């Protein structure tokens, strides 16, 4: 019993903090805003650590590749898994909406955030690069930083013997920032508990009202996808053993995702969980950071629900083949790109509204839906990255990858 408690102490404390915070939020309502800074401090610490952690992880993974590990093939498999799972999420949602149609009578609310339109060339440039080195240190430039980390990893490989001292520094930095994450998570029960209290107390009532039906559809599909489809992916990746590993180690990433509503903030928890799931460092250190920015199954489901709501608002059918094909194409585009662009969700909403020819009045309801589904969307976006890593391992290393890898038991 003592050994069991030692292994699961961190998870038990985390869940206890979340339960206490949720109860406090439900009982105290808006009064819990006073403890929001506690959650903000925890989240800021995660955000501070995540950029260098991702940089060291990716550059270390590439610098550690040998001739038997082909990065191009690994990236190709990763891309195929990302696109495939995003499409599956969209198709499952379309089927659900066809069974449970959304008939909304919503009142558009004013947009509270300014949405600036930039030329496509400028958006593309800011997505992949920054004009100053220090800007790479911002999580808003996550994709640019990932590209720079990839270039750094290749430069270390090309430097050969002369690059070995720097490679040692990169590998050491990777280990140090993994441990920084462990130290930050020591305050996880308090930080996430405060965040759950704030979310339940302040935003909980908004889930009941004119958007209730669309929320019911989204959260039902999301729960089904989280429990059933992720389980199926894990089983496909490595059978019953991989299924057990996934759920045994997915609790902390799930709690972090829901508590912070940030896929990027969940990257450290995912990378730690991926190691415990038996995913090799070469795959996890590339797939997980890329997934945090480019892999958005929750956003895929959200995109389809938003489209269905807007179509219902304007009395249009969302069930003809041409409409569905366009919806799938835009969902893949939005899901893969929005994570690397500030206010990327708004850009995605503007994209589908423009593509279908809806007036500007269609935008506020779509933004409201996106806000209300954010906790579940982040849960799916973030925790889908580790199961995607399992699928990548299955296709990159063979069907026996799970048997060859030695899973690491939970440690507090």
């Amino acid at each position: 019993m003592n050994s069991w408690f030692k292994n699961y102490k961190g998870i038990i404390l985390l869940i206890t903090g979340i339960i206490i915070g949720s109860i406090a939020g439900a009982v105290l309502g808006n009064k819990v805003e006073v403890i929001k800074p506690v959650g903000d401090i925890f989240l800021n610490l995660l955000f501070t650590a995540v950029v260098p952690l991702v940089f060291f992880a990716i550059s270390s993974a590439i610098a550690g590749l040998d001739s038997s590990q082909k990065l191009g093939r690994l990236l190709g498999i990763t891309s195929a898994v990302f696109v495939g799972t995003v499409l599956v999420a969209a198709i499952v949602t379309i089927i659900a909406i066809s069974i449970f149609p959304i008939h909304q009578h919503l009142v558009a609310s004013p947009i509270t955030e300014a949405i600036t339109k930039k030329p496509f060339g400028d958006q593309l440039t800011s997505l992949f690069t920054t004009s100053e080195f220090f800007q790479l240190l911002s999580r808003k430039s996550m994709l640019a930083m990932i590209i720079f980390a990839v270039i750094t990893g290749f430069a270390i490989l090309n430097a050969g013997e002369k690059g070995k001292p720097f490679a040692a520094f990169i590998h050491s930095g990777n280990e140090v920032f993994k441990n920084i994450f462990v130290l930050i998570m020591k305050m996880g029960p308090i930080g996430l508990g405060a965040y759950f209290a704030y979310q339940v107390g302040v935003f909980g009532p908004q889930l009941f009202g004119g958007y209730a039906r669309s929320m019911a559809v989204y959260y039902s599909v999301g729960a089904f996808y989280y429990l059933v489809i992720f389980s199926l992916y894990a089983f496909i990746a490595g059978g019953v053993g991989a299924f057990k590993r996934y759920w045994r180690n997915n609790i902390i990433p799930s709690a972090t995702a829901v508590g912070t509503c940030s896929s990027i903030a969940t990257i450290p928890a995912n990378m730690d969980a991926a190691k415990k799931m038996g995913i090799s460092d070469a795959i996890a250190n590339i797939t997980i950071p890329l997934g945090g920015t480019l892999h958005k199954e929750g956003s895929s489901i959200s995109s389809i629900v938003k489209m269905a709501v807007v179509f219902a608002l304007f009395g249009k059918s969302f069930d003809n083949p041409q409409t569905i094909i366009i919806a799938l194409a835009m969902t893949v585009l939005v899901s893969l790109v929005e994570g690397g662009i500030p206010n990327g969700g708004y850009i995605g909403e503007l994209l589908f509204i423009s593509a279908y020819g809806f007036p500007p009045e269609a935008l506020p309801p779509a933004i409201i839906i996106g806000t209300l589904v954010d906790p579940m969307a982040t849960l799916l976006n973030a925790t889908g990255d580790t199961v995607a890593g399992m699928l990548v391992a299955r296709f990159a290393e063979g069907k026996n990858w799970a048997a060859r890898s030695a899973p690491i038991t939970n440690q507090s």
Side-chain angles (χ1 to χ4, degrees), residues 83-359:
V83 172
T85 51
V86 164
L87 279 173
V88 169
I91 292 169
V92 167
T93 310
I94 289 172
I95 293 172
I97 288 173
S98 68
I99 299 173
F100 305 101
I102 294 176
H103 302 291
Q104 294 285 13
H105 301 284
L106 307 177
V107 178
S109 300
I111 303 174
T112 57
E113 288 196 45
I115 302 173
T116 58
K117 293 184 178 181
K118 295 181 180 180
F120 177 75
D122 291 348
Q123 290 188 26
L124 200 63
T125 300
S126 61
L127 176 62
F128 293 109
T129 60
T130 62
S131 59
E132 298 284 351
F133 178 81
F134 73 87
Q135 292 173 348
L136 291 172
L137 303 179
S138 169
R139 68 179 188 272
K140 295 179 181 179
S141 304
M142 202 70 178
L143 187 55
M145 189 276 297
I146 287 173
I147 292 172
F148 187 81
V150 170
I151 294 172
T152 301
F154 278 118
I156 293 171
L157 285 177
N158 292 337
E161 289 294 324
K162 294 182 179 179
K164 284 189 174 181
F166 190 76
F169 162 72
I170 291 292
H171 296 320
S172 177
N174 186 32
E175 293 302 319
V176 168
F177 275 93
K178 285 181 182 178
N179 281 278
I180 287 176
F181 162 71
V182 171
L183 293 175
I184 292 174
M185 284 305 297
K186 295 291 185 183
M187 68 171 291
I190 299 174
L192 288 181
Y195 242 91
F196 268 83
Y198 176 74
Q199 287 186 348
V200 172
V202 177
F203 296 110
Q206 296 182 20
L207 296 178
F208 304 96
Y211 294 89
R213 186 176 179 85
S214 57
M215 291 300 95
V217 170
Y218 183 89
Y219 278 88
S220 298
V221 173
F224 172 81
Y225 200 88
Y226 176 73
L227 296 172
V228 177
I229 303 299
F230 282 174
S231 296
L232 179 61
Y233 287 158
F235 181 80
I236 292 172
V240 176
F243 166 84
K244 290 180 178 179
R245 288 189 206 177
Y246 177 74
W247 287 112
R248 187 184 303 125
N249 297 291
N250 194 40
I251 297 175
I252 289 180
S254 297
T256 304
V258 176
T260 62
C261 285
S262 171
S263 296
I264 292 177
T266 312
I267 288 176
N270 268 340
M271 293 182 68
D272 184 56
K275 185 176 182 180
K276 294 174 181 176
M277 292 174 190
I279 302 171
S280 67
D281 288 344
I283 291 176
N285 288 353
I286 292 175
T287 303
I288 301 301
L290 285 177
T293 303
L294 303 177
H295 184 224
K296 306 285 183 180
E297 289 165 275
S299 297
S300 174
I301 298 173
S302 172
S303 177
I304 297 297
V305 171
K306 290 174 189 175
M307 293 181 199
V309 168
V310 170
F311 269 70
L313 281 171
F314 288 87
K316 293 189 176 184
S317 173
F318 190 65
D319 57 5
N320 68 75
Q322 182 179 357
T323 298
I324 290 175
I325 291 172
I326 294 174
L328 290 174
M330 285 189 298
T331 295
V332 171
L333 178 63
V334 171
S335 299
L336 294 178
V337 172
E338 73 172 31
I341 305 176
N343 291 330
Y346 293 163
I347 294 173
E349 288 146 7
L350 286 168
L351 177 63
F352 87 74
I353 287 171
S354 174
Y356 285 120
F358 287 112

Side-chain angles (χ1 to χ4, degrees), residues 2 37 42 58 71 75 79 144 148 158 171 192 242 266 273 305 327 372 384:
N2 288 336
F42 172 71
I58 292 179
L71 181 62
L75 289 177
S79 300
F148 187 81
N158 292 337
H171 296 320
L192 288 181
T266 312
V305 171
L372 295 179

